[in-house]
Amino acid sequence: MFTLPLRDNAELRPLETWHAEEFAAHLDRAREHIRPWVGPAFVTGDVAGARDTLVRYGERRAADGGRLYGLWLDGTLVGGVMFVAFDAASGGCELGCWLEPAGEGHGLVTEACARLLDWAFGERGLHRAEWHCRADNARSSAVAERLGMTLEGTRREAWPYGGARHDKQLWGLLAHEWQARRA
Ligand SMILES: CC(C)(COP(=O)(O)OP(=O)(O)OC[C@H]1O[C@@H](n2cnc3c(N)ncnc32)[C@H](O)[C@@H]1OP(=O)(O)O)[C@@H](O)C(=O)NCCC(=O)NCCS
């Protein structure tokens, strides 16, 4: 119903419970690509699992918490961005993202995250945004860097995956830093 055009063939829209089948089909295309890099609860295996994720985010949105947005490229859901966490009281949020292979390399996530940051800092008055990723996730770190975030630290062996423990990076961006970039 509500669509934010990012460019001619790309759109950002709320990703809601009624998208469960479309989201599950997208996850079938994305699953192996994203599995090492995102939280395990997000990588569901069927429509019921996909619906659970959408319901969970719907509940968070109703509480003015996390929010989920899909990215459509040429009419196909290819990924999305989210507020993993959003806390107006403390002025902080955490952004996240994912794409199926066909969505990579178009600048979609950086552009969509910029819209989320405009809203979080500009309209909601938040003070700080975070980005968490595996330290060896070069494409994810590159998004944080393109958004002007600062690498604030590395939590050693904080990300268990595949029987090993990986380092986790914490990137941060402050409201005045974002406003200066946008000016
Ligand atoms: C992390 C992830 C979302 C990054 O995707 P991405 O496509 O590299 O990031 P963006 O959407 O910002 O696009 C940037 C790329 O598009 C290119 N691009 C093309 N047109 C562009 C445009 N108009 N504007 C900006 N960039 C453009 C850029 O050059 C860049 O490609 P490059 O790195 O090969 O030079 C993706 O790799 C992914 O989903 N990985 C698996 C899941 C994951 O890691 N999620 C994050 C968990 S923390």
Side-chain angles (χ1 to χ4, degrees):
M1 188 173 180
F2 302 105
T3 294
L4 185 63
L6 294 181
R7 62 184 71 151
D8 287 349
N9 58 345
E11 292 175 337
L12 186 68
R13 306 179 202 158
L15 188 54
E16 298 176 341
T17 307
W18 64 277
H19 292 115
E21 292 195 1
E22 191 176 3
F23 183 43
H26 155 67
L27 283 175
D28 285 344
R29 299 187 295 273
R31 190 172 296 107
E32 295 316 315
H33 182 61
I34 66 174
R35 198 193 290 279
W37 313 110
V38 304
F42 194 76
V43 192
T44 53
D46 55 19
V47 175
R51 182 176 289 107
D52 286 349
T53 300
L54 300 178
V55 168
R56 197 166 64 242
Y57 270 93
E59 288 169 352
R60 291 180 190 174
R61 186 180 62 241
D64 198 22
R67 287 166 171 82
L68 193 59
Y69 302 92
L71 281 160
W72 276 261
L73 184 64
D74 294 320
T76 300
L77 177 62
V78 294
V81 294
M82 71 270 257
F83 288 108
V84 179
F86 187 96
D87 185 354
S90 70
C93 66
E94 179 193 339
L95 270 59
C97 69
W98 80 98
L99 289 168
E100 64 181 62
E104 271 188 338
H106 301 280
L108 297 180
V109 156
T110 299
E111 199 174 335
C113 285
R115 305 302 178 95
L116 265 52
L117 291 168
D118 281 343
W119 184 76
F121 291 140
E123 191 159 338
R124 299 300 309 275
L126 264 56
H127 186 72
R128 176 183 164 82
E130 293 188 356
W131 186 271
H132 301 183
C133 64
R134 258 176 65 169
D136 56 346
N137 191 347
R139 291 196 84 105
S140 183
S141 310
V143 174
E145 216 165 350
R146 275 195 293 274
L147 290 168
M149 294 188 165
T150 297
L151 178 59
E152 297 181 334
T154 301
R155 295 176 59 208
R156 296 172 303 147
E157 302 186 4
W159 192 303
Y161 175 75
R165 299 192 66 90
H166 303 269
D167 291 351
K168 181 177 182 175
Q169 288 180 346
L170 166 62
W171 295 74
L173 178 70
L174 304 180
H176 69 84
E177 294 169 341
W178 183 247
Q179 310 301 3
R181 272 183 92 78
R182 286 307 231 184

Short mmCIF file of all heavy atoms in Angstrom, two decimals, residues 9-39:
data_model
loop_
_atom_site.label_atom_id
_atom_site.label_comp_id
_atom_site.label_asym_id
_atom_site.label_seq_id
_atom_site.Cartn_x
_atom_site.Cartn_y
_atom_site.Cartn_z
N ASN A 9 13.42 1.39 -10.91
CA ASN A 9 12.97 -0.01 -10.84
C ASN A 9 13.06 -0.61 -9.44
O ASN A 9 12.98 -1.82 -9.29
CB ASN A 9 13.80 -0.87 -11.81
CG ASN A 9 15.28 -0.78 -11.49
OD1 ASN A 9 15.72 0.09 -10.75
ND2 ASN A 9 16.05 -1.70 -12.04
N ALA A 10 13.28 0.23 -8.41
CA ALA A 10 13.44 -0.29 -7.05
C ALA A 10 12.52 0.45 -6.08
O ALA A 10 12.35 1.67 -6.18
CB ALA A 10 14.88 -0.14 -6.59
N GLU A 11 11.94 -0.30 -5.15
CA GLU A 11 11.00 0.29 -4.19
C GLU A 11 11.22 -0.28 -2.80
O GLU A 11 11.58 -1.46 -2.66
CB GLU A 11 9.55 -0.05 -4.59
CG GLU A 11 9.10 0.61 -5.87
CD GLU A 11 7.71 0.15 -6.29
OE1 GLU A 11 7.29 -0.95 -5.86
OE2 GLU A 11 7.05 0.88 -7.03
N LEU A 12 10.98 0.55 -1.80
CA LEU A 12 11.03 0.14 -0.40
C LEU A 12 9.61 0.19 0.14
O LEU A 12 8.92 1.20 -0.03
CB LEU A 12 11.92 1.12 0.37
CG LEU A 12 12.23 0.83 1.83
CD1 LEU A 12 13.11 -0.40 1.96
CD2 LEU A 12 12.94 2.03 2.46
N ARG A 13 9.17 -0.91 0.74
CA ARG A 13 7.80 -0.96 1.28
C ARG A 13 7.83 -1.67 2.63
O ARG A 13 8.70 -2.53 2.86
CB ARG A 13 6.88 -1.80 0.39
CG ARG A 13 6.82 -1.41 -1.04
CD ARG A 13 5.88 -2.35 -1.78
NE ARG A 13 6.14 -2.37 -3.20
CZ ARG A 13 5.79 -3.36 -4.03
NH1 ARG A 13 5.16 -4.42 -3.57
NH2 ARG A 13 6.06 -3.29 -5.32
N PRO A 14 6.86 -1.39 3.51
CA PRO A 14 6.75 -2.19 4.73
C PRO A 14 6.57 -3.66 4.35
O PRO A 14 5.84 -3.96 3.40
CB PRO A 14 5.47 -1.65 5.40
CG PRO A 14 5.27 -0.29 4.80
CD PRO A 14 5.82 -0.36 3.40
N LEU A 15 7.24 -4.54 5.06
CA LEU A 15 7.12 -5.98 4.81
C LEU A 15 6.25 -6.54 5.94
O LEU A 15 6.65 -6.52 7.09
CB LEU A 15 8.51 -6.61 4.80
CG LEU A 15 8.66 -8.06 4.38
CD1 LEU A 15 8.04 -8.33 3.02
CD2 LEU A 15 10.15 -8.43 4.33
N GLU A 16 5.04 -6.97 5.57
CA GLU A 16 4.03 -7.27 6.57
C GLU A 16 3.55 -8.71 6.48
O GLU A 16 3.89 -9.44 5.53
CB GLU A 16 2.86 -6.29 6.40
CG GLU A 16 3.29 -4.84 6.62
CD GLU A 16 2.19 -3.83 6.36
OE1 GLU A 16 1.21 -4.18 5.67
OE2 GLU A 16 2.32 -2.69 6.85
N THR A 17 2.73 -9.09 7.44
CA THR A 17 2.29 -10.50 7.55
C THR A 17 1.67 -11.02 6.26
O THR A 17 1.88 -12.18 5.89
CB THR A 17 1.30 -10.62 8.72
OG1 THR A 17 1.90 -10.05 9.89
CG2 THR A 17 0.95 -12.07 8.99
N TRP A 18 0.94 -10.17 5.54
CA TRP A 18 0.26 -10.64 4.33
C TRP A 18 1.25 -10.97 3.21
O TRP A 18 0.86 -11.59 2.21
CB TRP A 18 -0.79 -9.63 3.86
CG TRP A 18 -0.27 -8.29 3.42
CD1 TRP A 18 0.05 -7.22 4.20
CD2 TRP A 18 -0.02 -7.87 2.08
NE1 TRP A 18 0.50 -6.17 3.44
CE2 TRP A 18 0.45 -6.54 2.13
CE3 TRP A 18 -0.14 -8.49 0.83
CZ2 TRP A 18 0.80 -5.82 0.98
CZ3 TRP A 18 0.20 -7.76 -0.31
CH2 TRP A 18 0.67 -6.45 -0.23
N HIS A 19 2.53 -10.62 3.37
CA HIS A 19 3.55 -10.97 2.39
C HIS A 19 4.16 -12.35 2.65
O HIS A 19 5.16 -12.70 2.01
CB HIS A 19 4.71 -9.96 2.42
CG HIS A 19 4.37 -8.58 1.94
ND1 HIS A 19 4.38 -7.47 2.75
CD2 HIS A 19 3.99 -8.14 0.71
CE1 HIS A 19 4.06 -6.40 2.05
NE2 HIS A 19 3.80 -6.79 0.82
N ALA A 20 3.60 -13.13 3.59
CA ALA A 20 4.28 -14.35 4.05
C ALA A 20 4.70 -15.28 2.89
O ALA A 20 5.83 -15.77 2.86
CB ALA A 20 3.40 -15.10 5.04
N GLU A 21 3.83 -15.50 1.93
CA GLU A 21 4.17 -16.44 0.85
C GLU A 21 5.28 -15.85 -0.03
O GLU A 21 6.21 -16.56 -0.43
CB GLU A 21 2.93 -16.78 0.03
CG GLU A 21 1.95 -17.60 0.86
CD GLU A 21 0.87 -18.27 0.04
OE1 GLU A 21 0.87 -18.12 -1.20
OE2 GLU A 21 0.02 -18.94 0.65
N GLU A 22 5.16 -14.58 -0.33
CA GLU A 22 6.18 -13.92 -1.17
C GLU A 22 7.52 -13.89 -0.43
O GLU A 22 8.59 -14.11 -1.02
CB GLU A 22 5.70 -12.50 -1.48
CG GLU A 22 6.49 -11.78 -2.53
CD GLU A 22 5.91 -10.40 -2.86
OE1 GLU A 22 4.92 -9.99 -2.22
OE2 GLU A 22 6.46 -9.75 -3.76
N PHE A 23 7.47 -13.65 0.88
CA PHE A 23 8.69 -13.61 1.69
C PHE A 23 9.33 -15.01 1.76
O PHE A 23 10.56 -15.15 1.63
CB PHE A 23 8.32 -13.10 3.09
CG PHE A 23 9.47 -12.94 4.04
CD1 PHE A 23 10.68 -12.37 3.64
CD2 PHE A 23 9.35 -13.35 5.36
CE1 PHE A 23 11.74 -12.22 4.53
CE2 PHE A 23 10.41 -13.20 6.26
CZ PHE A 23 11.59 -12.64 5.84
N ALA A 24 8.49 -16.04 1.90
CA ALA A 24 9.03 -17.42 1.95
C ALA A 24 9.68 -17.79 0.62
O ALA A 24 10.75 -18.42 0.59
CB ALA A 24 7.90 -18.40 2.29
N ALA A 25 9.06 -17.39 -0.49
CA ALA A 25 9.65 -17.69 -1.81
C ALA A 25 10.99 -16.96 -1.97
O ALA A 25 11.96 -17.51 -2.52
CB ALA A 25 8.68 -17.29 -2.92
N HIS A 26 11.03 -15.73 -1.49
CA HIS A 26 12.29 -14.97 -1.52
C HIS A 26 13.36 -15.66 -0.67
O HIS A 26 14.52 -15.80 -1.09
CB HIS A 26 12.05 -13.54 -1.04
CG HIS A 26 13.24 -12.86 -0.47
ND1 HIS A 26 14.34 -12.52 -1.22
CD2 HIS A 26 13.53 -12.49 0.81
CE1 HIS A 26 15.24 -11.96 -0.45
NE2 HIS A 26 14.78 -11.94 0.79
N LEU A 27 12.96 -16.13 0.53
CA LEU A 27 13.94 -16.80 1.40
C LEU A 27 14.49 -18.07 0.74
O LEU A 27 15.64 -18.43 0.94
CB LEU A 27 13.32 -17.12 2.76
CG LEU A 27 13.18 -15.93 3.72
CD1 LEU A 27 12.43 -16.35 4.99
CD2 LEU A 27 14.54 -15.34 4.08
N ASP A 28 13.65 -18.74 -0.07
CA ASP A 28 14.15 -19.91 -0.79
C ASP A 28 15.32 -19.52 -1.72
O ASP A 28 16.25 -20.29 -1.91
CB ASP A 28 13.03 -20.55 -1.62
CG ASP A 28 12.05 -21.33 -0.76
OD1 ASP A 28 12.38 -21.62 0.41
OD2 ASP A 28 10.94 -21.63 -1.25
N ARG A 29 15.23 -18.32 -2.29
CA ARG A 29 16.31 -17.85 -3.19
C ARG A 29 17.50 -17.31 -2.41
O ARG A 29 18.62 -17.26 -2.91
CB ARG A 29 15.77 -16.75 -4.12
CG ARG A 29 14.63 -17.18 -5.03
CD ARG A 29 14.27 -16.09 -6.04
NE ARG A 29 13.74 -14.88 -5.46
CZ ARG A 29 12.45 -14.65 -5.17
NH1 ARG A 29 11.56 -15.58 -5.44
NH2 ARG A 29 12.06 -13.51 -4.64
N ALA A 30 17.24 -16.86 -1.16
CA ALA A 30 18.27 -16.15 -0.39
C ALA A 30 18.98 -17.03 0.64
O ALA A 30 20.09 -16.72 1.07
CB ALA A 30 17.63 -14.97 0.34
N ARG A 31 18.32 -18.13 1.04
CA ARG A 31 18.68 -18.83 2.28
C ARG A 31 20.18 -19.13 2.40
O ARG A 31 20.83 -18.75 3.37
CB ARG A 31 17.86 -20.11 2.42
CG ARG A 31 18.00 -20.79 3.78
CD ARG A 31 17.02 -21.93 3.94
NE ARG A 31 15.63 -21.46 3.92
CZ ARG A 31 14.78 -21.65 2.90
NH1 ARG A 31 15.15 -22.31 1.83
NH2 ARG A 31 13.55 -21.17 2.97
N GLU A 32 20.73 -19.83 1.42
CA GLU A 32 22.13 -20.27 1.56
C GLU A 32 23.08 -19.08 1.52
O GLU A 32 24.16 -19.11 2.11
CB GLU A 32 22.49 -21.30 0.49
CG GLU A 32 21.70 -22.60 0.64
CD GLU A 32 21.62 -23.10 2.10
OE1 GLU A 32 22.65 -23.09 2.80
OE2 GLU A 32 20.52 -23.46 2.56
N HIS A 33 22.67 -18.03 0.80
CA HIS A 33 23.49 -16.83 0.66
C HIS A 33 23.58 -16.04 1.97
O HIS A 33 24.64 -15.49 2.30
CB HIS A 33 22.87 -15.97 -0.44
CG HIS A 33 23.62 -14.73 -0.76
ND1 HIS A 33 24.92 -14.74 -1.24
CD2 HIS A 33 23.26 -13.41 -0.67
CE1 HIS A 33 25.32 -13.50 -1.42
NE2 HIS A 33 24.34 -12.67 -1.08
N ILE A 34 22.48 -16.00 2.72
CA ILE A 34 22.47 -15.14 3.92
C ILE A 34 22.75 -15.91 5.21
O ILE A 34 23.12 -15.31 6.22
CB ILE A 34 21.12 -14.39 4.06
CG1 ILE A 34 19.95 -15.33 4.34
CG2 ILE A 34 20.83 -13.55 2.81
CD1 ILE A 34 18.62 -14.60 4.64
N ARG A 35 22.59 -17.24 5.17
CA ARG A 35 22.65 -18.04 6.40
C ARG A 35 23.88 -17.77 7.28
O ARG A 35 23.75 -17.65 8.50
CB ARG A 35 22.59 -19.54 6.05
CG ARG A 35 22.22 -20.43 7.23
CD ARG A 35 22.47 -21.90 6.91
NE ARG A 35 21.57 -22.47 5.95
CZ ARG A 35 20.34 -22.90 6.23
NH1 ARG A 35 19.87 -22.79 7.45
NH2 ARG A 35 19.60 -23.44 5.28
N PRO A 36 25.09 -17.65 6.70
CA PRO A 36 26.25 -17.44 7.58
C PRO A 36 26.30 -16.09 8.26
O PRO A 36 27.06 -15.90 9.20
CB PRO A 36 27.45 -17.56 6.61
CG PRO A 36 26.92 -18.15 5.37
CD PRO A 36 25.48 -17.75 5.28
N TRP A 37 25.49 -15.14 7.77
CA TRP A 37 25.72 -13.74 8.16
C TRP A 37 24.60 -13.12 8.97
O TRP A 37 24.75 -12.01 9.49
CB TRP A 37 25.91 -12.89 6.89
CG TRP A 37 26.84 -13.50 5.90
CD1 TRP A 37 26.50 -14.03 4.68
CD2 TRP A 37 28.25 -13.66 6.03
NE1 TRP A 37 27.62 -14.50 4.05
CE2 TRP A 37 28.71 -14.29 4.86
CE3 TRP A 37 29.18 -13.33 7.03
CZ2 TRP A 37 30.05 -14.61 4.66
CZ3 TRP A 37 30.52 -13.66 6.82
CH2 TRP A 37 30.93 -14.27 5.65
N VAL A 38 23.44 -13.76 9.06
CA VAL A 38 22.30 -13.17 9.78
C VAL A 38 21.91 -14.09 10.95
O VAL A 38 22.35 -15.24 11.02
CB VAL A 38 21.08 -12.94 8.84
CG1 VAL A 38 21.48 -12.07 7.66
CG2 VAL A 38 20.49 -14.25 8.36
N GLY A 39 21.05 -13.57 11.82
CA GLY A 39 20.61 -14.36 12.97
C GLY A 39 19.85 -15.60 12.53
O GLY A 39 19.08 -15.54 11.56
#
